[in-house]
């Protein structure tokens, strides 16, 4: 099928829940993607921060092929080796004690909410506990995840939301403190807000919330679905703040393309969930866990974290030059290889910029309504940054 045939067929049969670019991607190599007509794109979106190891990584592909030939799925009534290995690997790198594998980040958030509520229920037998989330946050589109997502636009058609959710201002500790009461069982936020506009947590905020949780017996849930798995230069962004959550959610680059997510917790919290409390048919299946095992192995083998630290410094420098050169580029912000450029959309149409980037062979996504998001594969080089900057400047012009 050519591009137009693919688009026509898709539009006839798929739900129209995405405004897709008029491109059909066909294959990838390294940090480049190719559409059905053979056009090349340098990819600074990585499937929304998923393909950390780049495309067509032979070791990764071979590991999946070997597992496909061996065993793809059984059920969670049985043990399987990839799940055991993946559980050991992810708990070791995160510093958490136990893990529950899901199929996505949204499912990880759902599990984290249930775990927090069950843990609180076991303490006082009450079911009216509250959770504090953040304005402008994004945690997913299922009903539980949507309820803690601080954006009315996503919620308005699907109410009522689950009760007991309050919203504080991100990076404003006082606003969190004002909402805490005897019913508060958890505080949830992204260590680096993604969809909300690429805002890293301020040290005084995340440390203050951690201290507050310790003092009040409240669980801290950190969402590192997008910013975790090495994207900020450490395996998880919270490591840079000297704090640790009680519950952690992970997905995206955990499987590097194969759908796999997870929520993790420290031992005391994790034991709140017992057989019958939570489950999944596909979560933790051998294929998904084989992907996670190999991804974590390659992170170490390929010194991915060192590369992120090196190249992110260069990317920041080049983006700062963009800010200095163009009056309508307001600022750069971010952490590691999760960066954003805020655009004055009164002057420049962001949709047209992204479209021009695609015309020039550059894939970029937005964050919120006025930010260009840069979340490339974590294996990019400085030469890849230069290629991106050249194409971006052409689009901005």
């Amino acid at each position: 099928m050519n591009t137009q045939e693919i688009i026509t067929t898709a539009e006839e049969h798929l739900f129209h829940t995405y405004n897709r670019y008029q491109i059909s991607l066909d294959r990838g190599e390294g940090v480049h993607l190719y559409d059905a007509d053979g056009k090349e794109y340098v990819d600074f979106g990585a499937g929304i921060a998923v393909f950390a190891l780049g495309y067509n990584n032979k070791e990764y592909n071979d590991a999946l092929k070997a597992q496909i030939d061996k065993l793809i799925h059984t059920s969670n009534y049985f043990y399987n080796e990839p799940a055991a290995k993946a559980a050991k690997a992810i708990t070791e790198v995160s510093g958490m004690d136990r893990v529950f594998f899901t199929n996505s980040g949204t499912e990880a958030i759902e599990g984290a909410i249930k775990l927090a509520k069950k843990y609180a229920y076991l303490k006082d037998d009450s079911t009216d506990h509250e959770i504090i989330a953040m304005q402008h946050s994004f945690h997913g589109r299922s009903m539980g995840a949507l309820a803690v997502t601080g954006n009315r636009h996503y919620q308005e058609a699907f109410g009522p939301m689950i009760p007991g959710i309050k919203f504080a201002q991100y990076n404003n500790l006082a606003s969190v403190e004002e909402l805490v009461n005897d019913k508060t069982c958890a505080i949830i936020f992204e260590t680096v807000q993604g969809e909300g506009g690429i805002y890293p947590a301020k040290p005084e905020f995340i440390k203050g919330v951690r201290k507050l949780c310790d003092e009040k017996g409240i669980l801290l849930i950190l969402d590192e679905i997008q910013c975790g798995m090495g994207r900020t230069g450490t395996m998880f962004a919270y490591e840079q703040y000297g704090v640790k959550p009680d519950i952690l959610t992970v997905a995206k680059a955990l499987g590097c393309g194969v759908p796999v997510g997870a929520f993790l917790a420290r031992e005391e919290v994790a034991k709140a969930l017992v057989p019958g409390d939570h489950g999944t048919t596909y979560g933790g299946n051998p294929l998904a866990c084989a992907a996670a095992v190999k991804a974590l192995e390659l992170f170490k083998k390929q010194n991915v974290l060192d590369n992120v630290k090196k190249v992110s410094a260069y990317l920041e420098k080049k983006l700062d030059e963009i800010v200095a050169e163009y009056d309508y580029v307001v600022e750069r912000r971010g952490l590691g290889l999760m960066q954003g450029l805020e655009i004055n959309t009164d002057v420049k149409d962001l949709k047209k910029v992204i479209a021009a980037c695609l015309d020039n062979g550059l894939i970029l996504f937005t964050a919120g309504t006025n930010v260009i998001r840069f979340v490339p594969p974590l294996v990019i080089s400085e030469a890849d940054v230069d290629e991106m900057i050249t194409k971006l400047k052409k689009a901005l012009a």
Side-chain angles (χ1 to χ4, degrees), residues 83-371:
K85 286 184 174 180
K88 183 175 187 291
I90 190 64
T91 52
E92 285 180 349
V93 298
S94 65
M96 307 302 284
D97 296 315
R98 294 193 180 269
V99 60
F100 185 103
F101 289 112
T102 67
N103 303 290
S104 67
T106 296
E107 287 183 30
I109 293 292
E110 294 287 336
I113 292 171
K114 286 182 67 177
L115 175 56
K117 284 182 169 288
K118 178 67 184 297
Y119 179 76
Y121 170 79
L122 291 175
K123 289 201 297 184
D124 62 11
D125 231 18
S126 174
T127 58
D128 61 350
H129 295 104
E130 298 176 351
I131 294 174
I132 297 174
M134 300 297 144
Q135 296 171 10
H136 307 298
S137 61
F138 183 85
H139 298 288
R141 289 183 171 88
S142 59
M143 291 304 289
L146 192 61
V148 293
T149 290
N151 190 323
R152 294 289 185 190
H153 171 71
Y154 293 129
Q155 297 177 338
E156 58 191 5
F158 305 104
M161 295 289 105
I162 63 172
I165 311 297
K166 296 180 176 180
F167 290 94
Q169 295 175 25
Y170 189 70
N171 278 331
N172 184 331
L173 182 59
S175 75
V176 177
E177 293 171 334
E178 289 173 3
L179 297 178
V180 170
N181 59 43
D182 293 341
K183 294 181 180 181
T184 308
C185 70
I187 299 172
I188 181 171
F189 59 89
E190 302 150 272
T191 314
V192 181
Q193 277 197 341
E195 301 295 329
I198 316 297
Y199 287 98
K202 293 179 179 178
E204 61 271 22
F205 174 73
I206 191 170
K207 289 179 180 180
V209 173
R210 175 71 273 179
K211 184 172 183 290
L212 180 64
C213 288
D214 291 339
E215 292 172 348
K216 302 289 187 180
I218 298 167
L219 297 180
L220 174 60
I221 305 172
L222 289 183
D223 178 345
E224 296 227 0
I225 290 165
Q226 184 170 166
C227 67
M229 290 299 294
R231 181 150 295 281
T232 64
T234 50
M235 189 55 77
F236 295 99
Y238 59 78
E239 297 174 59
Q240 299 181 40
Y241 297 92
V243 302
K244 194 165 87 170
D246 300 297
I247 304 173
L248 168 69
T249 60
V250 189
K252 291 191 181 290
L254 176 59
C256 285
V258 171
V260 55
F263 62 96
L264 302 96
R266 55 185 177 86
E267 182 69 31
E268 180 193 347
V269 178
K271 66 184 181 183
L273 290 184
V274 297
D277 281 344
H278 200 58
T280 171
T281 297
Y282 292 110
N285 72 64
L287 181 62
C289 287
V293 169
K294 182 53 67 172
L296 287 162
E297 178 187 310
L298 290 174
F299 264 71
K300 185 175 182 180
K301 183 177 180 179
Q302 296 183 198
N303 298 312
V304 168
L305 295 182
D306 289 341
N307 189 66
V308 172
K309 291 171 185 173
K310 175 189 172 185
V311 179
S312 64
Y314 186 71
L315 174 61
E316 288 179 4
K317 174 177 174 290
K318 302 305 286 187
L319 292 179
D320 286 341
E321 291 174 2
I322 294 282
V323 174
E325 184 174 348
Y326 298 88
D327 291 341
Y328 51 82
V329 181
V330 180
E331 69 170 344
R332 173 197 63 80
R333 54 179 178 262
L335 205 59
L337 289 181
M338 185 174 178
Q339 296 289 329
L341 285 181
E342 182 178 334
I343 305 297
N344 181 348
T345 51
D346 290 335
V347 178
K348 202 72 170 177
D349 188 324
L350 190 54
K351 290 182 179 179
K352 289 183 178 179
V353 172
I354 297 299
C357 285
L358 287 171
D359 288 342
N360 296 335
L362 169 62
I363 293 175
L364 285 170
F365 300 128
T366 59
T369 58
N370 64 342
V371 175

